[in-house]
Amino acid sequence: MSKNIKSKGYAGKGEKGKLELWSFERRPVGDNDILIEIKYSGVCHSDIHTIRGHWGKQQYPQVPGHEIAGIVSAVGKNVTKFKVGDKAGVGCMVDSCMHCDSCKKGEEHHCETTGMVGTYGVPEKSSPTGITQGGYAIISW
């Protein structure tokens, strides 16, 4: 998949607003990525605190939601652990190098290469919205 992925999700558009349906695009599936058709996403207090700006200024619109579960609908050419149709889940992090000392110790949240890239609200250069977008959505990465 070389084109951006059209998506819809429930986004916070400011600290005081309610989540609203929003159309946006995600980046294309990369060589090391899977595309997940989201079936479920947990509702976590961190989603509420983040969207309301309790833990710092946020970029809006922002689709919250980690603790995502769904079905794999596409895989990148380097992916070996998943195939289309598999069940997959995503926690609170979506990227790390998996090679530095921290990652090798299972502490990806301290990745020395990429830093902690969260499921949503984190600056991400390849994202059409400029930040990662979460699981309160119809389609995911």
Side-chain angles (χ1 to χ4, degrees):
M1 299 179 87
S2 61
K3 293 185 177 183
N4 285 345
I5 300 161
K6 294 187 183 303
S7 302
K8 289 185 180 180
Y10 286 92
K13 295 186 176 179
E15 292 177 2
K16 304 257 187 243
K18 295 181 180 180
L19 297 180
E20 301 174 33
L21 190 58
W22 177 53
S23 294
F24 65 103
E25 292 186 354
R26 295 190 189 271
R27 64 177 168 79
V29 175
D31 292 345
N32 300 308
D33 297 334
I34 64 173
L35 179 67
I36 300 172
E37 180 183 346
I38 298 171
K39 298 295 186 182
Y40 306 96
S41 180
V43 176
C44 183
H45 71 93
S46 59
D47 301 331
I48 297 163
H49 288 300
T50 300
I51 292 300
R52 298 227 179 238
H54 295 163
W55 295 339
K57 280 247 178 243
Q58 297 298 309
Q59 181 177 324
Y60 300 100
Q62 183 178 142
V63 177
H66 56 101
E67 303 161 345
I68 301 163
I71 306 297
V72 176
S73 57
V75 297
K77 70 178 186 178
N78 296 334
V79 174
T80 59
K81 293 184 180 180
F82 292 93
K83 65 183 182 313
V84 172
D86 283 352
K87 295 175 183 174
V90 179
C92 60
M93 295 173 287
V94 294
D95 198 12
S96 63
C97 76
M98 298 308 291
H99 299 290
C100 69
D101 288 340
S102 292
C103 285
K104 287 179 182 177
K105 292 178 189 171
E107 297 178 354
E108 299 96 311
H109 53 290
H110 293 300
C111 180
E112 298 152 36
T113 304
T114 61
M116 200 288 261
V117 180
T119 308
Y120 61 89
V122 176
E124 210 245 335
K125 291 177 187 169
S126 65
S127 172
T129 64
I131 59 173
T132 55
Q133 300 290 348
Y136 294 6
I138 307 300
I139 254 229
S140 187
W141 57 101

